[in-house]
Amino acid sequence: MRVLLVEDDDMIGRSLQQALETNGWSVDWVRDGLLAQSALADGAYACVLLDLGLPRRDGLEVLRQARVRGDATPVLVLTARDGLDDRIAGLDLGADDYLLKPYEFRELLARMRAVIRRRDGSAHSVIGNAVVQLDLTTREVLVNGEASALSAREYALLHALLERPGAILSRDQLENRIYGWGEEVMSNAVDVLIHGMRKKLGADTIRNVRGLGWRIAAAPPAASPALAAAPQAATTASGDPA
């Protein structure tokens, strides 16, 4: 999945970008408030990691203007400002969560998953339908109760489709969700990913809507009794790129 990192400290930004990419995220990193506003206007992000003490435009102003525009992208504020007034201001302006520096990376990942779940209207870490389920905490994928291993980009694509089951997502929408700045995207990259995923998940799991894009059914036919009884073993999705 794609995340916008807004951090002006080079050392913090570089280490956080590397850690997130190692965990399967595609990261766009900007270092000031004006660039953050431009990126938010153009991008399609699963969430934003926002520092407050930014050059050119303060993080709280970036947040305020995003919410005024109607941008509902989850925002997790990461800052060294530990004053109560700052925390209240950030939350009142529309921040979804607030994490003080220094923090543990595992907690950051957990909070990112939590704000994304809330955006999707789910209190649980598992999303999906009667056939395919995705656990956002463990990155486990189950198809009719059986484990399937996906690459990092396959995982991101499946997540995008399962966030809005039944909705058609275009090629551009999917590319914006799984590829960051500077990444070379072949014209058939999405087709190649979906071809590989159909082999793993079943040919009918992801449907093509000619001329429009792809979708996963909101309520596919119930699994057969034999499949429904399959053991609930699980394998964690691979972090290797597709």
Side-chain angles (χ1 to χ4, degrees):
M1 291 175 287
R2 191 174 172 209
V3 61
L4 177 63
L5 171 61
V6 188
E7 172 59 66
D8 66 319
D9 186 292
D10 281 347
M11 185 175 69
I12 294 174
R14 190 174 298 109
S15 62
L16 188 50
Q17 180 183 35
Q18 290 174 349
L20 288 167
E21 289 176 346
T22 298
N23 280 266
W25 292 82
S26 181
V27 182
D28 293 343
W29 175 23
V30 296
R31 295 166 173 80
D32 68 58
L34 289 181
L35 289 176
Q37 286 185 313
S38 177
L40 274 171
D42 295 337
Y45 296 102
C47 71
V48 180
L49 304 180
L50 178 66
D51 186 24
L52 295 185
L54 299 170
R56 302 179 72 192
R57 183 152 296 168
D58 186 76
L60 288 178
E61 180 61 15
V62 172
L63 175 61
R64 187 190 70 79
Q65 292 196 19
R67 296 313 190 217
V68 167
R69 291 196 312 271
D71 189 333
T73 305
V75 174
L76 175 54
V77 172
L78 307 178
T79 182
R81 297 183 187 176
D82 60 355
L84 178 61
D85 289 343
D86 284 321
R87 295 200 300 275
I88 291 173
L91 293 169
D92 283 346
L93 285 173
D96 295 88
D97 202 353
Y98 207 105
L99 190 57
L100 292 177
K101 301 175 181 177
Y103 49 79
E104 290 289 337
F105 184 65
R106 290 186 302 160
E107 182 180 3
L108 171 61
L109 290 178
R111 289 177 181 267
M112 290 170 68
R113 292 192 296 267
V115 298
I116 293 170
R117 282 201 309 271
R118 290 198 292 271
R119 178 200 62 184
D120 297 339
S122 174
H124 304 287
S125 63
V126 178
I127 60 175
N129 56 33
V131 173
V132 58
Q133 296 87 40
L134 188 63
D135 191 318
L136 304 180
T137 301
T138 63
R139 299 176 65 85
E140 294 169 347
V141 182
L142 292 175
V143 182
N144 289 321
E146 296 185 352
S148 180
L150 300 182
S151 73
R153 284 186 177 143
E154 288 173 337
Y155 174 92
L157 193 152
L158 180 62
H159 186 200
L161 290 169
L162 287 177
E163 282 178 348
R164 299 171 60 196
I168 301 169
L169 297 187
S170 69
R171 184 184 306 277
D172 285 346
Q173 287 175 311
L174 291 173
E175 286 178 352
N176 285 337
R177 287 297 304 271
I178 61 182
Y179 293 101
W181 297 338
E183 293 186 86
E184 184 177 356
V185 184
M186 304 296 291
S187 60
N188 66 338
V190 171
D191 305 79
V192 171
L193 284 173
I194 290 178
H195 178 72
M197 292 169 67
R198 282 173 171 159
K199 290 183 176 180
K200 298 174 182 180
L201 307 179
D204 294 330
T205 302
I206 302 174
R207 297 295 184 92
N208 175 253
V209 181
R210 189 176 296 276
L212 296 177
W214 294 267
R215 69 182 179 91
I216 288 182
S224 68
L227 290 174
Q232 298 293 310
T235 301
T236 300
S238 165
D240 297 334

